[in-house]
Amino acid sequence: MSLARSLVDVRPLRASPVFRRLLIGRTVSVLGGFMTMVTVMYQVWDMTHSTAWTGAVGFANALPLVVFGLFAGAWADRADRRRLFLMATVGQAVCSLALAAQGFTGHVPVAGVLLLVAAQSTFGALGAPAAGVFLPRLLPRDQVAAGLALQQVTAQSMMLLGPALAGVLLGWFGIGVCYLLDALSFGLAFYGAFGLPALPPEGEPSRAGLRGALDGLRFLAGHRVVRGALITDLAATVLSFPVSLFPLVNAERFGGDPRTLGLFLSALAVGGVLATGLSGALTRLGRPGPVMLCASAAWGAALVLFGLSTSAWAGLALLVVAGAADATAVVSRSTIVQTRTPDALLGRVTAAEHIVGQAGPSLGNVRGGLLAGWTSGVTALVSGGVLCLLAVASVAATTPGLRERETTAGERETAAGEPAGP
């Protein structure tokens, strides 16, 4: 296979100027988001010197998505998704401007900072289901996976760059400038989406409120392939997410060296960048189900071996493998969701996907931390990886549709009525 076909598939960039603008705006906005994440943690710690308050930052980010996500998805399936995304982007920018104002003045208590974080997360929960519709409507079906891979490789790259850049800017200019740059980044995200055509739902619009949200849950309960994709992601994160264990494993195995600890998260991100940068062959394959199952199993196996490793370099290499597997699984899962879900339901299903992506790692960190407290960091890592492997094997065995090649004829029109059997 040629190197060109192994590299990330750039056909969407050539085929769709609108997608190019969206990707540029999204990349800059993601960079601003990672900068703000670091800045908020730094500010809250500086104000309180309390791990309870810094932990509350994650709660403020996650709670609005979990509480409002499905309702936002139902709204996205009733309205023009373009307009909804633009409204949400403006709301996020206003919250960043408010964070910048309090950063420059320094007169807002820590609870006020967390309220602004929660408000920004609420607007993000509103915009995410609308954005989830863009790629299937803008790109040919066989390029959706490539578009998702391009989004993932840029996001992973910003995950590497954003925290480092935030640290430099915090030292030079302070927290207000970092928040202000995030607000400006939303301007590019707005510009990227402004040129979109109107994107009302195709098919019957969602019912309002709780009834519409329940319709989305019924679709997930009845569609084995989409449900299996989300269950696989939950298994990989809830059962084996390792980040909360890194300090303990570093102390148990690698002498507590802070340089090693700092490299753990970077290794995951490096693996993600490498995998998505070399994703062309997999996204052209047209088999996101088998790819997702294999990648999720590789994630679990890499974490088992990481837990057993006594060499720092071998451990970092295994985390690079785990990061690559995770990024591959994310692209494949999103491909399944966006190509197997009817457009009229895609906002709600995308919202559910975002809830899984947000809640799973948080629950996984709690699981790992509690189990490590009762046993050890190595036991929590190894047992989590083994449980992940067993769960992925169970999903693969009970969901034949995930093991098969995608079909194309009438897929989106018939997906809602797919029978529950194999």
Side-chain angles (χ1 to χ4, degrees):
M1 180 177 295
S2 68
L3 178 62
R5 288 187 64 81
S6 296
L7 295 175
V8 63
D9 187 351
V10 296
R11 287 179 298 164
L13 295 175
R14 295 195 297 263
S16 176
V18 176
F19 174 76
R20 288 199 299 269
R21 291 196 299 272
L22 273 174
L23 184 64
I24 292 170
R26 182 181 186 276
T27 300
V28 175
S29 180
V30 169
L31 174 63
F34 278 114
M35 290 173 57
T36 289
M37 177 187 73
V38 173
T39 305
V40 169
M41 295 293 289
Y42 174 84
Q43 182 184 5
V44 170
W45 175 257
D46 187 58
M47 294 172 73
T48 65
H49 293 284
S50 165
T51 55
W53 278 109
T54 55
V57 174
F59 185 75
N61 270 308
L63 184 62
L65 180 61
V66 173
V67 172
F68 300 115
L70 282 178
F71 296 99
W75 189 6
D77 287 336
R78 290 175 57 83
D80 176 5
R81 280 78 173 257
R82 169 189 174 272
R83 180 175 296 179
L84 193 59
F85 179 80
L86 293 175
M87 289 170 50
T89 301
V90 170
Q92 288 177 289
V94 170
C95 291
S96 285
L97 288 172
L99 283 167
Q102 66 82 30
F104 285 122
T105 62
H107 297 315
V108 175
V110 64
V113 175
L114 294 183
L115 282 174
L116 288 173
V117 170
Q120 188 174 62
S121 181
T122 301
F123 283 112
L126 177 63
V133 180
F134 292 164
L135 264 63
R137 296 282 288 268
L138 295 175
L139 298 175
R141 183 184 177 89
D142 65 347
Q143 293 184 23
V144 170
L148 289 167
L150 287 166
Q151 288 186 347
Q152 185 72 3
V153 72
T154 55
Q156 292 284 343
S157 300
M158 296 307 102
M159 180 179 173
L160 279 174
L161 177 61
L165 183 59
V168 172
L169 293 175
L170 281 169
W172 286 353
F173 303 111
I175 59 176
V177 169
C178 287
Y179 289 134
L180 183 60
L181 289 174
D182 185 31
L184 295 175
S185 77
F186 286 114
L188 275 178
F190 186 94
Y191 167 76
F194 190 76
L196 288 170
L199 293 172
E202 295 177 343
E204 184 178 353
S206 167
R207 295 191 291 176
L210 180 60
R211 292 182 301 171
L214 291 176
D215 288 339
L217 292 177
R218 276 192 285 270
F219 169 81
L220 286 173
H223 197 298
R224 282 191 170 184
V225 173
V226 176
R227 185 183 69 219
L230 297 186
I231 290 174
T232 301
D233 185 74
L234 272 176
T237 53
V238 173
L239 298 177
S240 59
F241 201 71
V243 173
S244 66
L245 301 173
F246 283 169
L248 180 58
V249 171
N250 186 49
E252 290 177 345
R253 287 294 178 92
F254 306 120
D257 190 334
R259 293 172 297 179
T260 307
L261 179 61
L263 289 173
F264 284 171
L265 279 174
S266 296
L268 290 174
V270 167
V273 172
L274 290 174
T276 47
L278 297 171
S279 63
L282 293 179
T283 55
R284 290 185 176 95
L285 188 63
R287 303 194 67 180
V291 170
M292 182 197 67
L293 292 171
C294 291
S296 299
W299 160 267
L303 292 177
V304 169
L305 294 175
F306 171 69
L308 298 174
S309 173
T310 57
S311 164
W313 290 111
L316 290 173
L318 288 165
L319 287 178
V320 170
V321 172
D326 178 57
T328 301
V330 167
V331 171
S332 301
R333 182 199 71 218
S334 295
T335 300
I336 292 168
V337 168
Q338 296 198 9
T339 58
R340 296 274 187 147
T341 305
D343 183 85
L345 286 157
L346 191 51
R348 282 162 284 182
V349 177
T350 299
E353 182 187 12
H354 279 272
I355 292 171
V356 167
Q358 184 75 36
S362 298
L363 292 174
N365 277 329
V366 172
R367 181 215 67 89
L370 291 175
L371 184 58
W374 296 329
T375 56
S376 69
V378 171
T379 300
L381 260 177
V382 172
S383 63
V386 170
L387 288 172
C388 173
L389 286 168
L390 293 174
V392 171
S394 175
V395 172
T398 57
T399 316
L402 280 175
R403 306 195 303 266
E404 299 168 357
R405 185 179 182 87
E406 276 199 311
T407 57
T408 57
E411 180 72 37
R412 296 181 71 181
E413 289 77 10
T414 60
E418 179 175 311

